[in-house]
mmCIF file of all heavy atoms in Angstrom:
data_model
loop_
_atom_site.group_PDB
_atom_site.id
_atom_site.type_symbol
_atom_site.label_atom_id
_atom_site.label_comp_id
_atom_site.label_asym_id
_atom_site.label_seq_id
_atom_site.Cartn_x
_atom_site.Cartn_y
_atom_site.Cartn_z
ATOM 1 N N PRO O 217 87.029 82.177 100.089
ATOM 2 C CA PRO O 217 87.044 80.759 100.590
ATOM 3 C C PRO O 217 86.025 79.834 99.885
ATOM 4 O O PRO O 217 86.263 78.684 99.727
ATOM 5 C CB PRO O 217 86.662 80.930 102.035
ATOM 6 C CG PRO O 217 87.099 82.320 102.459
ATOM 7 C CD PRO O 217 86.903 83.148 101.161
ATOM 8 N N ARG O 218 85.041 80.355 99.296
ATOM 9 C CA ARG O 218 84.042 79.656 98.636
ATOM 10 C C ARG O 218 84.695 78.968 97.407
ATOM 11 O O ARG O 218 84.238 77.830 96.937
ATOM 12 C CB ARG O 218 82.822 80.444 98.209
ATOM 13 C CG ARG O 218 81.898 79.751 97.260
ATOM 14 C CD ARG O 218 80.611 80.513 96.943
ATOM 15 N NE ARG O 218 79.727 79.897 95.956
ATOM 16 C CZ ARG O 218 78.510 80.196 95.776
ATOM 17 N NH1 ARG O 218 77.970 81.091 96.559
ATOM 18 N NH2 ARG O 218 77.795 79.595 94.817
ATOM 19 N N HIS O 219 85.656 79.546 96.839
ATOM 20 C CA HIS O 219 86.290 79.039 95.644
ATOM 21 C C HIS O 219 87.459 78.054 95.870
ATOM 22 O O HIS O 219 88.029 77.582 94.905
ATOM 23 C CB HIS O 219 86.761 80.275 94.753
ATOM 24 C CG HIS O 219 85.648 81.084 94.228
ATOM 25 N ND1 HIS O 219 85.796 82.472 94.093
ATOM 26 C CD2 HIS O 219 84.350 80.796 93.826
ATOM 27 C CE1 HIS O 219 84.672 82.957 93.588
ATOM 28 N NE2 HIS O 219 83.835 81.926 93.497
ATOM 29 N N GLU O 220 87.739 77.789 97.050
ATOM 30 C CA GLU O 220 88.839 76.879 97.378
ATOM 31 C C GLU O 220 88.576 75.527 96.749
ATOM 32 O O GLU O 220 89.475 75.008 95.986
ATOM 33 C CB GLU O 220 89.043 76.757 98.926
ATOM 34 C CG GLU O 220 90.107 75.845 99.280
ATOM 35 C CD GLU O 220 91.526 76.334 99.142
ATOM 36 O OE1 GLU O 220 91.674 77.615 98.859
ATOM 37 O OE2 GLU O 220 92.444 75.601 99.207
ATOM 38 N N ALA O 221 87.450 74.986 96.977
ATOM 39 C CA ALA O 221 87.166 73.607 96.534
ATOM 40 C C ALA O 221 87.086 73.573 94.940
ATOM 41 O O ALA O 221 87.695 72.704 94.353
ATOM 42 C CB ALA O 221 85.899 73.097 97.180
ATOM 43 N N PRO O 222 86.215 74.383 94.362
ATOM 44 C CA PRO O 222 86.081 74.248 92.958
ATOM 45 C C PRO O 222 87.336 74.595 92.157
ATOM 46 O O PRO O 222 87.662 73.926 91.176
ATOM 47 C CB PRO O 222 85.016 75.325 92.530
ATOM 48 C CG PRO O 222 84.977 76.198 93.623
ATOM 49 C CD PRO O 222 85.313 75.439 94.946
ATOM 50 N N SER O 223 88.219 75.498 92.666
ATOM 51 C CA SER O 223 89.415 75.881 91.889
ATOM 52 C C SER O 223 90.454 74.767 92.086
ATOM 53 O O SER O 223 91.388 74.783 91.305
ATOM 54 C CB SER O 223 89.961 77.204 92.461
ATOM 55 O OG SER O 223 90.446 77.117 93.708
ATOM 56 N N ARG O 224 90.334 73.896 93.015
ATOM 57 C CA ARG O 224 91.262 72.772 93.176
ATOM 58 C C ARG O 224 90.734 71.464 92.557
ATOM 59 O O ARG O 224 91.230 70.382 92.648
ATOM 60 C CB ARG O 224 91.511 72.493 94.548
ATOM 61 C CG ARG O 224 92.321 73.663 95.273
ATOM 62 C CD ARG O 224 92.459 73.527 96.761
ATOM 63 N NE ARG O 224 93.168 72.361 97.109
ATOM 64 C CZ ARG O 224 94.459 72.227 97.237
ATOM 65 N NH1 ARG O 224 95.218 73.328 97.003
ATOM 66 N NH2 ARG O 224 95.068 71.081 97.610
ATOM 67 N N THR O 225 89.567 71.598 91.862
ATOM 68 C CA THR O 225 88.931 70.435 91.192
ATOM 69 C C THR O 225 89.676 70.118 89.871
ATOM 70 O O THR O 225 89.662 70.900 88.977
ATOM 71 C CB THR O 225 87.458 70.611 90.953
ATOM 72 O OG1 THR O 225 86.807 70.899 92.231
ATOM 73 C CG2 THR O 225 86.776 69.394 90.309
ATOM 74 N N VAL O 226 90.210 68.934 89.854
ATOM 75 C CA VAL O 226 90.922 68.511 88.562
ATOM 76 C C VAL O 226 89.799 68.081 87.596
ATOM 77 O O VAL O 226 89.004 67.131 87.855
ATOM 78 C CB VAL O 226 91.911 67.380 88.813
ATOM 79 C CG1 VAL O 226 92.496 66.902 87.571
ATOM 80 C CG2 VAL O 226 92.911 67.834 89.784
ATOM 81 N N ILE O 227 89.816 68.688 86.397
ATOM 82 C CA ILE O 227 88.899 68.306 85.367
ATOM 83 C C ILE O 227 89.587 67.498 84.271
ATOM 84 O O ILE O 227 90.506 67.992 83.659
ATOM 85 C CB ILE O 227 88.247 69.611 84.680
ATOM 86 C CG1 ILE O 227 87.653 70.626 85.749
ATOM 87 C CG2 ILE O 227 87.239 69.245 83.635
ATOM 88 C CD1 ILE O 227 86.511 70.110 86.479
ATOM 89 N N GLY O 228 89.160 66.218 84.129
ATOM 90 C CA GLY O 228 89.798 65.338 83.188
ATOM 91 C C GLY O 228 89.919 65.886 81.777
ATOM 92 O O GLY O 228 90.911 65.743 81.147
ATOM 93 N N LEU O 229 88.909 66.634 81.338
ATOM 94 C CA LEU O 229 88.931 67.093 79.965
ATOM 95 C C LEU O 229 89.903 68.166 79.793
ATOM 96 O O LEU O 229 90.298 68.438 78.625
ATOM 97 C CB LEU O 229 87.472 67.602 79.678
ATOM 98 C CG LEU O 229 87.202 67.875 78.136
ATOM 99 C CD1 LEU O 229 87.299 66.611 77.323
ATOM 100 C CD2 LEU O 229 85.822 68.605 77.977
ATOM 101 N N PHE O 230 90.419 68.826 80.901
ATOM 102 C CA PHE O 230 91.358 69.815 80.737
ATOM 103 C C PHE O 230 92.822 69.350 80.791
ATOM 104 O O PHE O 230 93.779 70.139 80.813
ATOM 105 C CB PHE O 230 91.145 70.918 81.896
ATOM 106 C CG PHE O 230 89.834 71.620 81.855
ATOM 107 C CD1 PHE O 230 89.400 72.260 82.938
ATOM 108 C CD2 PHE O 230 89.078 71.666 80.731
ATOM 109 C CE1 PHE O 230 88.242 73.001 82.988
ATOM 110 C CE2 PHE O 230 87.858 72.324 80.754
ATOM 111 C CZ PHE O 230 87.408 72.956 81.868
ATOM 112 N N GLU O 231 92.954 68.022 80.794
ATOM 113 C CA GLU O 231 94.277 67.385 80.936
ATOM 114 C C GLU O 231 94.716 66.636 79.714
ATOM 115 O O GLU O 231 93.900 65.922 79.103
ATOM 116 C CB GLU O 231 94.356 66.487 82.136
ATOM 117 C CG GLU O 231 94.139 67.078 83.479
ATOM 118 C CD GLU O 231 94.300 66.227 84.634
ATOM 119 O OE1 GLU O 231 93.870 65.075 84.612
ATOM 120 O OE2 GLU O 231 95.043 66.616 85.602
ATOM 121 N N CYS O 232 95.991 66.735 79.366
ATOM 122 C CA CYS O 232 96.523 66.008 78.289
ATOM 123 C C CYS O 232 97.238 64.700 78.844
ATOM 124 O O CYS O 232 98.074 64.869 79.741
ATOM 125 C CB CYS O 232 97.589 66.805 77.488
ATOM 126 S SG CYS O 232 98.548 65.848 76.262
ATOM 127 N N PRO O 233 97.012 63.568 78.307
ATOM 128 C CA PRO O 233 97.571 62.303 78.846
ATOM 129 C C PRO O 233 99.083 62.287 78.607
ATOM 130 O O PRO O 233 99.730 61.348 79.186
ATOM 131 C CB PRO O 233 96.814 61.240 78.187
ATOM 132 C CG PRO O 233 96.280 61.786 76.899
ATOM 133 C CD PRO O 233 96.001 63.252 77.249
ATOM 134 N N SER O 234 99.597 63.109 77.746
ATOM 135 C CA SER O 234 101.035 63.067 77.550
ATOM 136 C C SER O 234 101.785 64.093 78.197
ATOM 137 O O SER O 234 103.046 64.365 77.942
ATOM 138 C CB SER O 234 101.338 63.204 75.955
ATOM 139 O OG SER O 234 100.992 62.117 75.233
ATOM 140 N N ASP O 235 101.265 64.835 79.232
ATOM 141 C CA ASP O 235 101.844 65.870 79.971
ATOM 142 C C ASP O 235 103.149 65.235 80.633
ATOM 143 O O ASP O 235 103.024 64.335 81.453
ATOM 144 C CB ASP O 235 100.967 66.384 81.039
ATOM 145 C CG ASP O 235 101.570 67.603 81.762
ATOM 146 O OD1 ASP O 235 102.820 67.676 81.795
ATOM 147 O OD2 ASP O 235 100.790 68.418 82.222
ATOM 148 N N PRO O 236 104.338 65.767 80.340
ATOM 149 C CA PRO O 236 105.558 65.162 80.879
ATOM 150 C C PRO O 236 105.796 65.453 82.332
ATOM 151 O O PRO O 236 106.634 64.874 83.013
ATOM 152 C CB PRO O 236 106.623 65.812 80.004
ATOM 153 C CG PRO O 236 106.093 67.093 79.507
ATOM 154 C CD PRO O 236 104.574 66.778 79.355
ATOM 155 N N GLU O 237 105.091 66.542 82.849
ATOM 156 C CA GLU O 237 105.272 66.951 84.225
ATOM 157 C C GLU O 237 104.186 66.352 85.128
ATOM 158 O O GLU O 237 104.251 66.707 86.397
ATOM 159 C CB GLU O 237 105.186 68.527 84.250
ATOM 160 C CG GLU O 237 106.220 69.197 83.436
ATOM 161 C CD GLU O 237 107.602 69.093 84.157
ATOM 162 O OE1 GLU O 237 107.630 69.104 85.389
ATOM 163 O OE2 GLU O 237 108.587 69.091 83.467
ATOM 164 N N GLY O 238 103.377 65.572 84.655
ATOM 165 C CA GLY O 238 102.323 65.052 85.540
ATOM 166 C C GLY O 238 101.108 65.903 85.552
ATOM 167 O O GLY O 238 101.228 67.107 85.230
ATOM 168 N N ARG O 239 100.007 65.406 85.959
ATOM 169 C CA ARG O 239 98.772 66.166 85.910
ATOM 170 C C ARG O 239 98.153 66.261 87.312
ATOM 171 O O ARG O 239 98.587 65.665 88.260
ATOM 172 C CB ARG O 239 97.771 65.493 84.962
ATOM 173 C CG ARG O 239 98.370 65.310 83.599
ATOM 174 C CD ARG O 239 97.312 64.750 82.557
ATOM 175 N NE ARG O 239 96.781 63.458 83.000
ATOM 176 C CZ ARG O 239 97.414 62.310 82.827
ATOM 177 N NH1 ARG O 239 98.634 62.309 82.334
ATOM 178 N NH2 ARG O 239 96.911 61.171 83.156
ATOM 179 N N GLY O 240 97.204 67.120 87.454
ATOM 180 C CA GLY O 240 96.504 67.321 88.727
ATOM 181 C C GLY O 240 96.658 68.798 89.212
ATOM 182 O O GLY O 240 96.511 69.733 88.425
ATOM 183 N N LEU O 241 97.006 68.999 90.482
ATOM 184 C CA LEU O 241 97.119 70.286 90.975
ATOM 185 C C LEU O 241 98.371 70.987 90.501
ATOM 186 O O LEU O 241 99.432 70.305 90.469
ATOM 187 C CB LEU O 241 97.079 70.347 92.527
ATOM 188 C CG LEU O 241 95.751 69.838 93.178
ATOM 189 C CD1 LEU O 241 95.939 69.903 94.662
ATOM 190 C CD2 LEU O 241 94.564 70.735 92.703
#
């Protein structure tokens, strides 16, 4: 349970702005 919040944290640097499927969770 301790990892619920951090593992759901969206890190902007880990995302490509051209992702055709959308970003986030």
Side-chain angles (χ1 to χ4, degrees):
R218 170 172 175 164
H219 294 147
E220 177 75 13
S223 66
R224 292 172 63 88
T225 301
V226 177
I227 308 293
L229 192 64
F230 296 164
E231 296 189 314
C232 170
S234 289
D235 187 334
E237 296 287 327
R239 305 184 300 282
L241 294 182

